[in-house]
């Protein structure tokens, strides 16, 4: 793994990781993105036809090759939110119940937080956190475009460093979403400059931050509560290896929950959606319940 750098290093690293699957995976990563339109319950928008649905997605939604950009309805709020289907699984995996206290530790631009708000139905508490001020502004914008202000009383936007959250709060949330910053290889592949700057050291450094965030998440979730750890990374160092490290460092404090979805595939500790087989992703998630 030493000294792998730039485009050549990138191809070598992921060819070793994904073997014979890599060429098709690379091609799929470079193909056009697909979206799901999740209907906004506050906009009174209804699809005027029977929408194509995916059984693992419990929000009212439609899947199509292309959509018009979201726009406000007569009710004054945007009609639908466009997302990758795999991202929606992270919110489904949280199993949010009305009344829950939920924190989204790395929330911006806010698509998954918006879906958490739909699940909470104005009850409990939703904290959308992000360290970047510019990106926090996007969370506010999305919430104001999609949810009436009077229905946002249970929503807070905060600016903490997710790696250090456990210094301030412990055992207070029923659900924690950790959609961690990651290598985002799909974007790297699409950008020649990013590709030239890629190095194996980068995925290792990101993995250290991700683990610090997950260790913090385990302290802030209540005993019996649930964490969903997710990334859009292909690098296994940022996916199953993070959960492996949690077993090494926090043994006895958590249990892994397994869920099956209608697209994607199981991994050693979680679930991965890759675009060569499903057309969605890349996306990885693991479900952790705190037991101690
Ligand atoms: C993968 S994106 C989150 C996408 C978001 N969950 C969504 O669905 O729209 C990761 C986010 O983590 C934020 N971030 C990076 N380091 C952070 C830290 N130490 N604490 C809190 N947020 C951080 C970044 O600003 C970025 O917005």
């Amino acid at each position: 793994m030493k000294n792998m750098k730039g485009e050549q290093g990138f191809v070598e690293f992921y060819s070793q990781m994904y073997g014979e699957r890599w060429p098709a995976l690379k091609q799929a990563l470079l193909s056009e993105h697909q979206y799901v339109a999740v209907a906004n319950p506050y906009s009174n928008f209804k699809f005027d036809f029977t929408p194509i649905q995916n059984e693992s997605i419990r929000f009212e939604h439609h899947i199509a090759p292309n959509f018009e950009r979201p726009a406000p309805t007569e009710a004054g709020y945007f009609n639908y939110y466009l997302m990758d289907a795999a991202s929606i699984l992270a919110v489904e995996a949280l199993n949010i119940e009305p009344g829950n206290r939920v924190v989204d530790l790395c929330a911006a631009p806010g698509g998954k937080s918006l879906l958490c708000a739909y699940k909470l139905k104005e009850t409990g508490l939703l904290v959308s956190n992000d360290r970047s001020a510019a990106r926090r502004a996007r969370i506010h914008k999305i919430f104001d475009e999609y949810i009436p202000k009077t229905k946002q009383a249970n929503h807070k936007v905060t600016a903490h460093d997710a790696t250090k959250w456990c210094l301030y709060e412990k055992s207070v949330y029923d659900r924690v979403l950790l959609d961690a910053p990651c290598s985002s290889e799909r974007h790297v592949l699409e950008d020649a400059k990013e590709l030239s700057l890629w190095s194996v050291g980068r995925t290792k450094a990101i993995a250290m931050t991700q683990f610090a965030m997950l260790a913090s998440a385990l302290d802030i979730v209540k005993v019996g509560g649930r964490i969903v750890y997710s990334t859009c990374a292909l690098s296994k160092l940022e996916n199953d290896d993070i959960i492996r490290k949690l077993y090494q460092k926090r043994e006895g404090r958590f249990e892994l929950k397994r869920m099956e979805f209608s697209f994607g595939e199981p991994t050693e500790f979680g679930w991965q959606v890759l675009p060569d087989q499903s057309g969605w992703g890349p996306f990885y998630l693991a479900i952790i319940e705190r037991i101690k």
Side-chain angles (χ1 to χ4, degrees):
M1 258 205 243
K2 264 186 202 159
N3 292 330
M4 287 185 185
K5 281 189 191 148
E7 183 171 358
Q8 202 186 332
F10 181 94
V11 170
E12 203 182 327
F13 181 72
Y14 290 100
S15 305
Q16 279 177 19
M17 196 167 270
Y18 285 95
E20 284 178 2
R21 193 169 175 179
W22 173 245
L25 191 49
K26 185 176 171 204
Q27 201 180 353
L29 290 166
L30 289 166
S31 65
E32 217 176 309
H33 292 217
Q34 289 194 80
Y35 293 97
V36 171
V38 178
N40 177 12
Y42 294 99
S43 70
N44 295 334
F45 172 78
K46 289 268 170 276
F47 297 105
D48 54 7
F49 46 81
T50 306
I52 299 168
Q53 306 257 297
N54 183 290
E55 65 187 65
S56 287
I57 299 174
R58 296 191 203 107
F59 298 95
E60 190 187 338
H61 70 281
H62 173 48
I63 298 171
N66 43 47
F67 287 103
E68 293 193 6
R69 288 167 70 89
T73 62
E74 273 177 22
Y77 297 95
F78 277 57
N79 46 5
Y80 48 70
Y81 192 84
L82 296 178
M83 293 182 85
D84 188 291
S87 299
I88 300 172
L89 299 186
V91 181
E92 297 293 5
L94 273 173
N95 198 23
I96 292 173
E97 290 162 15
N100 279 169
R101 292 170 68 89
V102 181
V103 59
D104 183 356
L105 290 175
C106 297
K112 296 183 193 75
S113 266
L114 183 70
L115 298 192
C116 291
Y118 292 168
K119 292 273 186 197
L120 280 172
K121 299 184 166 72
E122 298 145 46
T123 68
L125 171 70
L126 173 60
V127 181
S128 302
N129 179 71
D130 205 280
R131 209 177 47 171
S132 152
R135 289 173 69 85
R136 278 196 309 280
R138 293 177 67 187
I139 304 177
H140 286 294
K141 184 168 184 286
I142 286 173
F143 269 72
D144 291 345
E145 284 170 350
Y146 283 82
I147 304 183
K149 266 265 189 271
T150 53
K151 311 275 185 190
Q152 292 184 37
N154 68 338
H155 184 229
K156 258 191 357 188
V157 177
T158 59
H160 303 303
D161 177 348
T163 63
K164 300 202 173 85
W165 197 303
C166 60
L167 299 177
Y168 313 109
E169 283 191 312
K170 285 194 195 299
S171 309
V172 287
Y173 294 99
D174 302 290
R175 302 287 185 267
V176 178
L177 177 58
L178 172 51
D179 187 39
C182 70
S183 279
S184 299
E185 293 90 341
R186 187 166 200 160
H187 301 296
V188 172
L189 259 182
E190 285 167 351
D191 182 330
K193 185 162 177 243
E194 281 291 316
L195 197 52
S196 70
L197 292 173
W198 181 89
S199 74
V200 73
R202 196 196 273 191
T203 174
K204 286 182 181 169
I206 293 172
M208 284 176 71
T209 303
Q210 291 164 335
F211 180 76
M213 287 179 174
L214 185 56
S216 183
L218 191 60
D219 284 340
I220 69 177
V221 75
K222 292 176 185 169
V223 172
R226 178 175 286 210
I227 303 167
V228 170
Y229 172 78
S230 63
T231 75
C232 61
L234 284 178
S235 171
K236 294 180 193 204
L237 276 56
E238 300 175 38
N239 296 334
D240 271 351
D241 284 0
I242 299 293
I243 311 302
R244 194 184 323 284
K245 192 165 169 186
L246 199 67
Y247 272 114
Q248 287 159 3
K249 306 268 185 190
R250 300 289 188 275
E251 203 193 339
R253 289 196 51 205
F254 70 96
E255 270 175 5
L256 214 58
K257 294 281 154 192
R258 304 302 300 228
M259 262 174 102
E260 299 254 316
F261 299 99
S262 54
F263 57 105
E265 55 209 275
T267 65
E268 188 176 356
F269 300 120
W271 189 264
Q272 190 168 32
V273 179
L274 293 173
D276 58 335
Q277 289 190 355
S278 66
W280 301 108
F283 199 74
Y284 170 87
L285 68 87
I287 306 166
I288 292 153
E289 277 190 11
R290 180 169 167 192
I291 56 169
K292 198 168 143 198

